[in-house]
Amino acid sequence: MAGNALLQPLQVGTIVLKNRIAMSAMTRNRAPRGYPSNLMKEYYIQRSSAGLIVTEGLLITRQGTDYPNAPGIWDEKHIAGWKDIVDAVHEAGSKIYAQLWHLGRLSHPEAPEQKLAGVPVYGPSAIAARGGKFRGLPGTPGFVKPSAIEDPWTIIAQYKQAAVNAQKAGFDGVELHAANGYLVMQFLDNTSNQRTDKWGGSVENRCRFGLEVLNALIEVFGQDVGIKLSPAGGYNDVGMSLQDTLDTYSYFITEADKLNPGYIALVRYSLMTNERFDGVLRATGHDVFESYPHLIKNARVFLNSGISPEEGHQFVSEGKADGVFFGFSWLTHPDLVGRIKRGHPLDNALDFLRLIPEDGEQDWSKGYVDYPMYVQS
Ligand code: PHB
């Protein structure tokens, strides 16, 4: 595709991306007990034609995720492991942000890591998620009653420490995971946040936590901070009325943009987000890409979810977006940029069952680093 707008460089914060084809965070659960490995390094190096790689979610503290091998960024061994990967990605010519992740009420009290953490499962309010996954863990969704966080500043400090750690590991920046029903989104959403203090209730109060976390990350990384939002909701039992959604996200995005982050990434509705409870669809049916980008004046606008290269080119050339995140397309095509550049097909099928290795699977390389490069037939 000659003249593809996705192939143009882009300044984001203080760095220049060599193209606008970014790789979004994807949980792959291949960090043994949370520590980065050589296999992960190989996976990220393979994808270093990306203008920007955002890592899978990095847990900012020890938590009982249903992914026993999700990586962390809270201790020195994590920092050293990530530094090795970051250095290799830099050497291979790409830029890499760490995605900072706190599960909030989606953690599990009986997961070994949560027990080791010695703290309760936290949420903005003591309201259980009816969604969520319980891979190999006891109970069913709805069983985990979170404890309301007493003082949100303690958690904000943990995010800030994780950013300091990411900086020590040499990351180019951090992305705040404020999407998909995890902790920051739990504060934004009036079905999961029913606090009566200054962190709940009004739009301004529900937005306070995410904005304070973003501010703390910017104190560490300056402009080299991104934030990911999924206003259409629907995943992990979040989702508000259309009016509450528009009011909340319009305010949040406007205020976040005033803090001058590097980018704001907006995720549109997808099939992943169409959970139903008691017959009621949790996702809010509105066009995320039409509703919010015009509010963003300072940050770069990135769009995400099920975008094809053709659509991405169109968004960028029409000025609707500065860049595009691809997820599964990167997962299945390590040479995604080369394929887009040369008009080669994206014809590797997703090995869905190996997105996350099965329990007991010995060879984690399958469905991870073995997706083939394009071969002319
Ligand atoms: C998932 O567990 O399916 C998952 C994790 C993090 C996300 C989205 C989905 O942001």
Side-chain angles (χ1 to χ4, degrees):
M1 212 188 278
N4 192 319
L6 293 172
L7 297 172
Q8 299 306 311
L10 177 71
Q11 172 124 21
V12 174
T14 67
I15 63 173
V16 176
L17 312 185
K18 62 189 173 186
N19 59 52
R20 295 153 189 247
I21 302 170
M23 174 170 158
S24 70
M26 282 174 285
T27 297
R28 304 308 308 275
N29 200 35
R30 281 164 169 91
R33 291 289 314 277
Y35 292 101
S37 66
N38 282 332
L39 184 65
M40 289 163 63
K41 179 160 75 174
E42 185 182 345
Y43 167 78
Y44 285 113
I45 290 174
Q46 281 182 347
R47 287 156 181 78
S48 57
S49 60
L52 177 67
I53 292 172
V54 176
T55 65
E56 58 211 281
L58 307 193
L59 297 165
I60 65 164
T61 56
R62 197 187 286 282
Q63 290 164 57
T65 168
D66 52 343
Y67 301 115
N69 301 302
I73 187 72
W74 69 81
D75 73 20
E76 291 299 325
K77 195 171 155 195
H78 294 130
I79 296 172
W82 280 110
K83 183 162 190 327
D84 191 36
I85 294 179
V86 169
D87 288 348
V89 167
H90 284 159
E91 191 140 320
S94 191
K95 306 286 187 192
I96 182 164
Y97 271 37
Q99 194 196 51
L100 301 185
W101 191 25
H102 193 302
L103 282 86
R105 66 177 182 166
L106 297 166
S107 198
H108 194 295
E110 285 168 35
E113 295 295 315
Q114 188 71 40
K115 286 190 173 162
L116 277 174
V119 292
V121 169
Y122 287 124
S125 300
I127 300 170
R130 292 167 295 173
K133 297 179 226 69
F134 284 70
R135 299 182 184 93
L137 295 172
T140 50
F143 149 86
V144 181
K145 187 88 183 255
S147 301
I149 296 167
E150 223 166 275
D151 179 5
W153 285 108
T154 57
I155 312 277
I156 295 167
Q158 292 171 346
Y159 274 101
K160 189 167 184 177
Q161 183 59 49
V164 168
N165 294 349
Q167 199 165 44
K168 282 193 203 160
F171 280 105
D172 297 290
V174 286
E175 178 185 88
L176 175 58
H177 189 350
N180 299 339
Y182 295 103
L183 183 62
V184 177
M185 190 165 179
Q186 291 162 27
F187 269 93
L188 290 172
D189 196 288
N190 61 15
T191 66
S192 46
N193 179 356
Q194 293 181 0
R195 296 176 74 101
T196 52
D197 60 7
K198 69 174 187 180
W199 306 91
S202 65
V203 166
E204 194 179 352
N205 284 356
R206 277 182 281 114
C207 290
R208 191 180 311 282
F209 181 76
L211 291 171
E212 289 293 356
V213 176
L214 186 62
N215 191 48
L217 303 184
I218 289 172
E219 281 172 10
V220 177
F221 262 103
Q223 261 198 288
D224 296 319
V225 175
I227 180 166
K228 177 177 186 174
L229 295 159
S230 56
Y235 192 57
N236 286 321
D237 201 14
V238 286
M240 299 181 277
S241 73
L242 177 57
Q243 196 55 54
D244 286 345
T245 302
L246 289 167
D247 291 348
T248 303
Y249 283 91
S250 298
Y251 174 82
F252 186 88
I253 289 167
T254 303
E255 295 303 310
D257 185 56
K258 286 183 193 161
L259 297 173
N260 206 14
Y263 69 82
I264 297 178
L266 300 172
V267 182
R268 66 178 165 187
Y269 169 84
S270 79
L271 282 181
M272 187 181 94
T273 66
N274 67 352
E275 285 176 353
R276 246 172 233 280
F277 296 98
D278 302 326
V280 178
L281 189 66
R282 296 297 271 125
T284 310
H286 69 309
D287 187 337
V288 168
F289 295 176
E290 288 297 330
S291 303
Y292 308 104
H294 67 278
L295 301 170
I296 303 173
K297 314 281 185 213
N298 300 306
R300 299 299 192 183
V301 177
F302 274 76
L303 302 179
N304 188 347
S305 199
I307 298 175
S308 68
E310 294 73 22
E311 200 183 7
H313 162 69
Q314 209 165 347
F315 285 146
V316 173
S317 54
E318 286 170 359
K320 279 199 171 159
D322 297 299
V324 174
F325 275 105
F326 294 90
F328 285 168
S329 299
W330 266 120
L331 192 160
T332 49
H333 304 93
D335 55 343
L336 182 63
V337 169
R339 288 184 190 234
I340 292 176
K341 205 180 269 180
R342 297 179 192 93
H344 292 158
L346 305 186
D347 54 359
N348 289 339
L350 176 66
D351 187 348
F352 191 79
L353 294 177
R354 292 197 175 85
L355 273 178
I356 306 290
E358 292 279 312
D359 278 352
E361 167 68 66
Q362 298 295 309
D363 185 357
W364 288 357
S365 70
K366 283 193 230 146
Y368 189 53
V369 292
D370 56 357
Y371 283 100
M373 307 279 180
Y374 180 71
V375 184
Q376 198 95 41
S377 57

